[in-house]
Each structure stands twice: as C-alpha cells, then as structure tokens.
Amino acid sequence: IHTVRDLIHHFPFRHNDFAHIRKVSELEYGKEQTVLVSVWEATKTQLGGNPRRASTQAVVGDETGNVRAVWFNRGFIADQLKPGTKLVLSGKAGAFRGQLVFESPEYEVLRGQELDELIHTGRLVPVYPKTEGLWDKSLRNYIRQALKACSHQIEEFLPEDIRHREGLMGLQDAIGQMHYPNSTDDANAARRRLAFDEFLIMQLAMLQRRREWKEEHAGVALEYDSAVVDGFMRSLPFPLTKAQQRAQDEILRDVATDRSMSRMLQGDVGSGKTVVALAALLAAVSAGYQGVLMAPTEVLAEQHFLTVRRLLVGKGSYQGDGPVVTVQAEWAAKPIKLGLLIGSMTKKVKTGMQEAVSSGEVDILIGTHAVIQEGVAPPNLALAVVDEQHRFGVMQRATLREKGVRPHLLAMSATPIPRSLYLTLYGDLDISVLDEMPPGRQEIRTRVVQPEGREAAYEMVRKEVGKGRQVFVVCPLIQESDALQTRAATEEYDKLSQQVFPDLRVGLLHGKLPLKEKERVMGEFQQREMDILVATPVIEVGIDIPNASVMMIDGAERFGLSQLHQLRGRVGRGEHQSYCLLLSDSPGEDARERLRLVERLQDGFKLAEEDLRLRGPGDYIGTRQSGFLEFKVARLSDTDILAMARREATRLVDADPDLQKPEHAGIAGAIQARQQGVADFS
C-alpha cells in the first residue's frame, strides 16, 4: 500500500456483525454481541511487575445490569476509560466464576458522534488482511479517513445503460459499502459490483486479444489433402465418435482459413483428443508444412511420441530406432518423418534434431518446452498443438505462436476445466468439447480402501489376474521430483514382486527409464507378458490396455481430484468390468472428502467443479500463470457474475470493437490500467 488509492482498494475479507446493540441483561454466553454501556471503573494491572505486560480490567453497565471487560497486555486502554465514559463494546461474552466477561472486545469511546458513525463497533465491522505490527483499529481508521477525504474523486467508468441493465451499484457507493456497509444486503451489492468490474475488464481483454489475433495475425490457409486425413481415419481400428467428428470438422475448417486458429480441444480422459489432434497435424503435413506437439513433461512427450508412431504406422511400417523415425503408412503418398525433442537428450542428439527440424526434414516434432527454445526454428511450422494447456503460461503460448509461419494453435486439456475457469483463463480461445466417450467405455467401480482393507485389495488384484486381467499400481505421489518418485516406484516394485505377488509377473515403469526401456516395458504390458505394472503417476496418456481391469492408487489422499480421475481413466477401456482402488493410510478430513467424491462421481467435469471448489484455481493455473487471476473481490465461484460480465463484454465488443466511443473511454482506460499492472479500475 503506497498511495491513498491503494488504501481505498485494500478491501476487507469479511465483516464482523456487530450491528445489533443489546442491553446487558440480554447478553448470552459464547455469542458475538454488542452493548452500549457506561464505564463505572477501569484499572490497570501488571503481571509480575512488568509494565509492558499491563492489562486493563473494567466494570461497565447500563440500566439493566453490569458486565466486566478485560484487555490483556493493553494497559493503555485504562487511561481512556474514565468513569462515566460512554462506550460501545463488541465481542464474545465468556464466563468467569459464574459472571459474564468480555475478553479483549472491540471497543469505541463515544465522544458526541452518532451511532451510525461508529467504525469498530455497533455496525458491520470490516476485517482486513494486514501485516505484523499493524492493528485492526489503525487500519480501519486510516481507510475511513481516506474514504472521507478522497471518495469523491472516484470516477464512475461503467456506462449508465450497463449499470441499469444489470442492476449494479454506482462505483463510489460500492467502494464505500465494501468497507463500511449499512447492511448485509448493501455489502453483497457492493461486492457484486466490484466483482463484475474485475470480470468485465478480464473478459474484454480476452475478447480483444482473440479479435486481434484473428484479424491482425494472418496465418497460412492449409490447402490440405483430404485423402490423407480420410485415409488415416479409415486406418483406425475404431470409428470416431460424433463429438470427435464435430471437433475435427471445426479444427479443419479453422486451419483452412488464413486467420490463425486459436482453439482449445477439451475432453475427459479417454475421449480421444490425440486422434483429433493428429488428424490436424496430418492436414498440415499434407499441405507441405510442419507440425509441433508440445507436452509439459518429458514422460508425457515420450508417450505421445510412441502413441503417435503407433497410430500412424497402423498396418504400415517405420524405419529408425531413436528420436527420429520415418513412417510409411498405407494411406500416405510419401513417408512422414516423426521427431522427439526433450531436454534430457545429449547435446549431440539435440543439435542433430534441431538441424533436422530447421532444414524442414522433420514433419511432426513432439517434445517438451524444449521445442520453443531459441535454437529450434521449424521454418514451415503451420500448426502447434499444446497438450495439458493449463500447465503452460500465456507467454509460452505466445512464444510458440511466433515460430514458423505464425502457426495455427490447438490447445488440449485432458483435465476437465470448469466453465468459470475456462472463460477466465482461456477466453481468448474458441473451444471444442469432446463430451462423448467412445463406445464400449463403461463405468469404473471406484472404492476407497481403508488401511485395514489393504490385504483384501491385494486379494482382489490376484483374483482379477487369475481371470486373465491386468493391473496398474500407481505408487504414492511424494512431490514433484522425478528422483523421489522413481525411488518410491522402485520400492513399491520390490515389495510387490518379492513379498506380495512373488508368483506373478510384475513390471516397473518410471520417468527415469531410457526411452527404449519404457517402450519395452509398455510393449510387454500391451502383449500381456506382464500381469501388474507398477508405475509413477505420469501414466496419464499413451497407454491403452483394454485388458487392464484394475487401477490401484496408493497414497491416493496426496492426489487432486482431476489427477485421480485421469489415472482411473487408464482402465475400463475393454469389455471387462473395471475397478479403481484408492488406498489411503492416514487421510485427513479434507482428503477423505475428496476421495469420497471420486468414489461417487464418474463425470470428469463435475469432479473438476468440485476440485475448483475445494482447492481453488491454483492447480489449473499452475505456477507459470500465478498472478494471472489476481482478483481482489471476484471469486471463480461467482459464475452468475462471470456470465453477466461475459454477456456485457460481448455486447460491448460487438457494438464498439475498439472502445472508441466517448461513453466507453473509462472502460478502455480500465483495461489499459489492468494491462499495466494497476490493480483497481476506478
């Protein structure tokens, strides 16, 4: 807080309701309440003779009775409470030796002011975020002074028609009532107005960004060979769902124009996003351009590489044994070169890959954020696919767009994103939703297993293996450390293979294994040469084992809802009834609630809404986007206010795209202030 403006926009996070003034005879034990009393006597007491630890004790009362008040370590208060002083006390009344006592209540001395002028008592009293050494009373006094002196300088920036249409309070009143509301209804109305302002500015910035991208950033219209895309689709062992077909049509329609696509492909676990994205990449390749698929981790990038290779080859063949393979598919007129680029590769391998990409030799490059680093320059990049978009920041997305020929962008997310978060984070993207699962997918029976049920869970695994089924065991998520997760997976593998299931075929998969070794392990599991696969939590994509019927997640309380749901989606892909076992040794109450939700809900979008409610947006936004949603008042649970702001933002942009009309000058200034990092919009 550097300026008066900062002070006025330092809003309380709640209000104590001290508005109802009672008589002393009406006081109740253990409740927050307020009384108007006279001081009969006030004394200062010192503990151990230390003047710094002096406390104040007072006897106060009204015509109905007396009550005691005590303020520990605040001896100076006794000097203010002369006999006969009128005083308003607010706080919780406790009991001491059968008598009512206020312990460290809020207090306010009446010196001729009216009751409606009170700041600390006798009203809805603001409680502010504060730092060490700053008292509530001091902060309230400073803000009250600032409002009195400067609130008339707060300029309204919303046009009258918007305020009238949406029933919004004026800005001056809203800021005043946000601090010192006359009633709970006024406090709610003030918060509604200020939350609307924050959402509106965010939405307008998003809509303008999307419009500018489409109108000013000319891309390349892909004149793709539809025979290649259709041939790839016919080679798949399954038909597309209606949702996949709809999404594919939307994407191909976008890339066929010279306005760079900016689209999000969102779908639940197993809904088939990779196939749709690969069809788009093939469209780019068939038009003579390059494509990139970027994943947030090396393991995900490697799994995408293996999955894409498998899908492309079909009944064809491929050459190469390493990070570059050449696929000769039956439906392709010429070979397709597929490359992998990740940070852990040796310098020599990376340099070779960068040269192959820069020469245009690689058609589809798959990798981590290494693909957007300075040395990687695909000259003909026309389509960039970003997987698990929520783990990347806005700047990384923008950097990728600057490569090649200003490529079309397709962002993917297997983590269902609640609509409120999508509109706030990705309002600059069009959206395609895969809201339909491929035929044959069935409900996965999910059970939370208590510590005493571990042996029964192991017995169930043994029975399923006896039926010819296979099992995933995901070891505990310790923290975001490959080394620690690898150790946890190795220890779990040793335990299961040597002690629990010594007679079964147990395999191990973790991020530290070389690509060839990962490929071998996954191949053995797919070929049913392995009964149980022990893995780290990164088996989120690329593994499709229809014969797997059990997903056992150890340490389940350490995972978020969305990740549990994604891991669960690794089973239930075949004709067999499948199960997800959530093992938890010592869950707290919050963790138990999360696990019960996964047990009860199969719908990823409903789980995502619950995840947002329980944990906030942090896990969706990721560390790279921290600061992007620094709302002072608005909350992502304010879906009704967000929808209202989206509606008005769309109306504004349609009527005045550049906000050049005089009545929109205030809004344009507010957007500019937001972009420059100014926190308020007045």
Side-chain angles (χ1 to χ4, degrees), residues 306-593:
L306 297 175
T307 301
V308 169
R309 189 187 70 187
R310 174 171 53 83
L311 289 170
L312 288 179
V313 170
K315 295 180 181 179
S317 62
Y318 72 90
Q319 293 178 326
D321 187 17
V324 179
V325 295
T326 303
V327 177
Q328 183 60 68
E330 292 180 331
W331 39 265
K334 62 178 185 177
I336 298 169
K337 209 150 215 177
L338 187 65
L340 174 68
L341 180 61
I342 56 179
S344 64
M345 289 175 166
T346 65
K347 185 177 180 181
K348 182 179 178 182
V349 172
K350 276 194 276 196
T351 301
M353 180 61 67
Q354 290 168 353
E355 290 173 353
V357 170
S358 298
S359 68
E361 182 184 340
V362 173
D363 297 306
I364 298 174
L365 177 64
I366 297 173
T368 57
H369 63 279
V371 304
I372 62 173
Q373 291 175 348
E374 209 168 305
V376 185
N380 299 313
L381 179 62
L383 175 64
V385 179
V386 181
D387 190 25
E388 289 301 297
Q389 164 61 43
H390 67 286
R391 298 197 199 177
F392 291 101
V394 176
M395 295 309 296
Q396 287 173 304
R397 202 161 80 201
T399 301
L400 194 52
R401 281 169 158 162
E402 297 300 322
K403 300 281 185 180
V405 290
R406 301 197 68 82
H408 299 280
L409 175 72
L410 178 64
M412 297 198 300
S413 179
T415 302
I417 301 171
R419 178 172 170 79
S420 58
L421 193 57
Y422 162 72
L423 285 176
T424 313
L425 273 181
Y426 307 121
D428 58 331
L429 301 175
D430 294 314
I431 187 168
S432 296
V433 179
L434 299 183
D435 52 5
E436 179 184 4
M437 299 299 281
R441 294 304 299 266
Q442 54 186 294
E443 181 173 312
I444 301 159
R445 293 179 184 170
T446 304
R447 295 291 179 268
V448 176
V449 180
Q450 303 298 334
E452 61 272 16
R454 184 176 287 269
E455 292 304 319
Y458 288 153
E459 188 56 36
M460 178 187 174
V461 166
R462 187 177 290 281
K463 285 182 180 178
E464 284 296 301
V465 172
K467 295 177 186 176
R469 306 287 81 79
Q470 290 167 283
V471 177
F472 288 104
V473 176
V474 175
C475 19
L477 176 68
I478 299 172
Q479 59 186 47
E480 288 298 328
S481 162
D482 285 342
L484 287 173
Q485 288 183 13
T486 298
R487 189 177 71 194
T490 304
E491 290 171 356
E492 186 79 0
Y493 167 75
D494 291 341
K495 173 188 166 187
L496 294 181
S497 61
Q498 296 171 22
Q499 300 173 31
V500 184
F501 303 115
D503 53 326
L504 301 181
R505 299 169 298 174
V506 183
L508 175 64
L509 181 68
H510 58 72
K512 290 289 187 180
L513 290 176
L515 180 60
K516 272 190 176 181
E517 183 66 10
K518 287 178 191 154
E519 193 174 352
R520 181 192 65 77
V521 172
M522 288 165 62
E524 287 183 6
F525 199 52
Q526 284 171 327
Q527 296 301 317
R528 303 191 186 186
E529 296 171 13
M530 194 182 293
D531 301 313
I532 299 172
L533 180 61
V534 179
T536 50
V538 290
I539 54 163
E540 294 168 322
V541 300
I543 298 182
D544 189 13
I545 312 291
N547 190 50
S549 63
V550 179
M551 167 62 70
M552 178 186 286
I553 304 173
D554 211 341
E557 75 278 4
R558 301 179 186 178
F559 295 82
L561 294 181
S562 294
Q563 192 167 29
L564 289 172
H565 181 62
Q566 282 193 305
L567 290 169
R568 173 170 60 182
R570 293 299 102 204
V571 296
R573 293 170 171 252
E575 57 184 334
H576 314 293
Q577 176 61 56
S578 293
Y579 307 88
C580 179
L581 305 178
L582 305 175
L583 276 63
S584 180
D585 286 333
S586 56
E589 186 52 43
D590 289 346
R592 274 196 289 270
E593 182 182 356

Side-chain angles (χ1 to χ4, degrees), residues 38-107:
S38 296
V39 177
W40 303 136
E41 65 175 4
T43 58
K44 187 184 301 185
T45 60
Q46 294 182 9
L47 296 178
N50 186 347
R52 292 186 178 181
R53 297 188 62 191
S55 296
T56 295
Q57 294 195 46
V59 178
V60 299
D62 60 15
E63 69 274 15
T64 69
N66 296 334
V67 65
R68 289 178 63 228
V70 58
W71 290 268
F72 298 107
N73 299 322
R74 302 186 74 185
F76 65 89
I77 294 177
D79 299 329
Q80 303 173 17
L81 304 184
K82 305 300 181 185
T85 301
K86 288 289 186 182
L87 187 70
V88 180
L89 293 179
S90 292
K92 189 175 289 187
F96 180 72
R97 293 180 179 174
Q99 292 185 318
L100 280 173
V101 178
F102 279 103
E103 289 191 4
S104 298
E106 292 282 356
Y107 72 97

Side-chain angles (χ1 to χ4, degrees), residues 163 266 277 493 580 601:
R163 297 204 310 275
Q266 186 181 1
Y493 167 75
C580 179
L601 298 175

Side-chain angles (χ1 to χ4, degrees), residues 3-178:
T3 66
V4 172
R5 180 188 295 270
D6 295 336
L7 192 61
I8 287 175
H9 288 86
H10 185 70
F11 295 121
F13 58 86
R14 66 181 171 87
H15 289 84
N16 287 331
D17 189 354
F18 297 152
H20 179 59
I21 296 180
R22 301 184 177 200
K23 296 293 185 182
V24 169
S25 61
E26 297 172 336
L27 290 176
E28 299 177 63
Y29 288 111
K31 290 188 177 180
E32 297 276 2
Q33 46 213 319
T34 300
V35 289
L36 171 58
V37 292
S38 296
V39 177
W40 303 136
E41 65 175 4
T43 58
K44 187 184 301 185
T45 60
Q46 294 182 9
L47 296 178
N50 186 347
R52 292 186 178 181
R53 297 188 62 191
S55 296
T56 295
Q57 294 195 46
V59 178
V60 299
D62 60 15
E63 69 274 15
T64 69
N66 296 334
V67 65
R68 289 178 63 228
V70 58
W71 290 268
F72 298 107
N73 299 322
R74 302 186 74 185
F76 65 89
I77 294 177
D79 299 329
Q80 303 173 17
L81 304 184
K82 305 300 181 185
T85 301
K86 288 289 186 182
L87 187 70
V88 180
L89 293 179
S90 292
K92 189 175 289 187
F96 180 72
R97 293 180 179 174
Q99 292 185 318
L100 280 173
V101 178
F102 279 103
E103 289 191 4
S104 298
E106 292 282 356
Y107 72 97
E108 201 155 359
V109 176
L110 290 180
R111 295 189 175 91
Q113 72 267 44
E114 297 294 328
L115 286 177
D116 61 5
E117 295 180 279
L118 295 174
I119 299 176
H120 314 291
T121 56
R123 61 170 309 119
L124 288 170
V125 177
V127 181
Y128 294 99
K130 58 186 184 300
T131 190
E132 186 178 358
L134 184 61
W135 293 93
D136 284 310
K137 269 196 163 184
S138 301
L139 193 50
R140 288 189 204 115
N141 283 327
Y142 298 149
I143 292 174
R144 185 72 161 200
Q145 290 175 44
L147 287 170
K148 277 189 173 182
C150 303
S151 61
H152 65 280
Q153 296 179 36
I154 297 171
E155 295 183 5
E156 179 62 70
F157 71 90
L158 277 188
E160 176 61 34
D161 62 323
I162 293 180
R163 297 204 310 275
H164 178 74
R165 188 161 49 239
E166 304 296 352
L168 295 171
M169 183 180 279
L171 187 57
Q172 279 190 27
D173 287 342
I175 290 176
Q177 292 293 315
M178 189 68 184

Side-chain angles (χ1 to χ4, degrees), residues 194-410:
L194 296 174
F196 174 85
D197 289 354
E198 291 182 325
F199 279 140
L200 179 71
I201 300 309
M202 175 70 79
Q203 292 300 307
L204 284 169
M206 287 285 191
L207 291 172
Q208 285 186 330
R209 186 192 299 172
R210 179 162 70 173
R211 183 177 62 85
E212 288 168 5
W213 177 253
K214 289 189 172 185
E215 293 182 1
E216 299 173 16
H217 295 75
V220 59
L222 300 183
E223 298 178 7
Y224 64 90
D225 186 349
S226 58
V228 170
V229 178
D230 294 342
F232 167 65
M233 290 301 166
R234 285 195 300 272
S235 75
L236 296 173
F238 47 79
L240 293 188
T241 64
K242 290 179 181 177
Q244 283 176 305
Q245 189 63 60
R246 182 179 66 242
Q248 181 183 305
D249 291 345
E250 289 168 348
I251 292 165
L252 293 179
R253 186 166 59 245
D254 281 356
V255 300
T257 72
D258 60 2
R259 299 298 176 195
S260 289
M261 175 177 69
S262 196
R263 182 171 289 275
M264 165 79 84
L265 176 62
Q266 186 181 1
D268 210 338
V269 179
S271 58
K273 294 177 297 299
T274 305
V275 167
V276 175
L278 184 50
L281 288 165
L282 288 173
V285 172
S286 73
Y289 293 95
Q290 294 168 289
V292 160
L293 194 164
M294 185 168 75
T297 68
E298 292 195 359
V299 173
L300 290 178
E302 289 172 338
Q303 289 176 356
H304 271 309
F305 178 75
L306 297 175
T307 301
V308 169
R309 189 187 70 187
R310 174 171 53 83
L311 289 170
L312 288 179
V313 170
K315 295 180 181 179
S317 62
Y318 72 90
Q319 293 178 326
D321 187 17
V324 179
V325 295
T326 303
V327 177
Q328 183 60 68
E330 292 180 331
W331 39 265
K334 62 178 185 177
I336 298 169
K337 209 150 215 177
L338 187 65
L340 174 68
L341 180 61
I342 56 179
S344 64
M345 289 175 166
T346 65
K347 185 177 180 181
K348 182 179 178 182
V349 172
K350 276 194 276 196
T351 301
M353 180 61 67
Q354 290 168 353
E355 290 173 353
V357 170
S358 298
S359 68
E361 182 184 340
V362 173
D363 297 306
I364 298 174
L365 177 64
I366 297 173
T368 57
H369 63 279
V371 304
I372 62 173
Q373 291 175 348
E374 209 168 305
V376 185
N380 299 313
L381 179 62
L383 175 64
V385 179
V386 181
D387 190 25
E388 289 301 297
Q389 164 61 43
H390 67 286
R391 298 197 199 177
F392 291 101
V394 176
M395 295 309 296
Q396 287 173 304
R397 202 161 80 201
T399 301
L400 194 52
R401 281 169 158 162
E402 297 300 322
K403 300 281 185 180
V405 290
R406 301 197 68 82
H408 299 280
L409 175 72
L410 178 64

